Amino acid sequence: MLLAIDCGNTNTVFSIWDGSRFLATWRIATDHRRTADEYFVWLSSLIGLNRLELNVSEAIISSTVPRVVFNLRVLCNRYFDCRPRVVGKPECALPHPPRVDQGTTVGPDRLVNTASAFDRHGGNLIVVDFGTATTFDVVDSDGAYIGGVIAPGVNLSLEALHAAAAALPHVDITRPDHVIGTNTVACMQSGVYWGYIGLVEGIVRQIRQERDRPMKVIATGGLAPLFDQGTTVFDSVEDDLTMHGLVLIHRYNMELENA
């Protein structure tokens, strides 16, 4: 079985793939201090609770936090006796290499989402990922990542607003009943929610104008379903986009090795 690991700035997701489907998916807070032994105790406990067999033989990692990769590598080497592929490293090939400015490093999560979205929807795409940052990835007709946009994430914006203005409380993101708020919390929620709807729609519109062609918009990330309620710009909302991409990239590398 394949262990697919997606490490983001806030959370790290572990999924078990049996060759045809995901048997289970778990999430843990990202912490570069967490050791390989701690990962294994946590992971093996969850595998046991789900009555799964601990027979992982392969692994692939995508990480936007370089400091955690070492302990994830140790986890795979020590406890699963396998050398994980790490997206973005030279030994991990991509089905469609990115076309960006020379010397530019593209986030592994963006490369994975690009490969996944192209596999499912073909080319000429905009992938909007609602994570710690809100990213827009532009996928060319042949599946290559050709650039995009990075904006502050929704929760990051809320935290900054609360930290910078002493009179403003910390609020949770939700779709307000009305655009015009009648109290401080409702005003903040409206500003963030409808402000991000405007941001997404505006950036998508500008990308489409610049590309001068029809482009599908695929949304992913934990807050994607919430924002889908306030706009018609998304053609598809997919919560498993990154994990599907990891499986896809792993399969592509296996085919290269066996060719």
Side-chain angles (χ1 to χ4, degrees), residues 153-192:
V154 179
N155 288 318
L156 189 63
S157 296
L158 279 171
E159 291 172 6
L161 192 61
H162 168 63
L168 297 181
H170 184 276
V171 299
D172 294 327
I173 181 63
T174 186
R175 180 182 179 179
D177 295 329
H178 306 282
V179 175
I180 301 173
T182 54
N183 56 69
T184 301
V185 170
C187 288
M188 293 174 65
Q189 289 175 332
S190 181
V192 171

Side-chain angles (χ1 to χ4, degrees), residues 8-23:
N9 290 294
T10 304
N11 293 309
T12 301
V13 180
F14 292 73
S15 287
I16 304 292
W17 173 260
D18 71 350
S20 60
R21 65 188 179 96
F22 288 109
L23 298 180

Side-chain angles (χ1 to χ4, degrees), residues 126 128 130 136 193-209 217 227-234:
I126 304 170
V128 184
F130 292 93
F136 298 74
Y193 185 84
W194 293 112
Y196 268 85
I197 290 293
L199 179 146
V200 170
E201 291 179 342
I203 290 178
V204 166
R205 182 173 59 252
Q206 290 299 118
I207 292 174
R208 282 172 168 165
Q209 288 178 1
V217 182
F227 284 97
D228 186 45
Q229 299 172 18
T231 182
T232 59
V233 75
F234 302 133

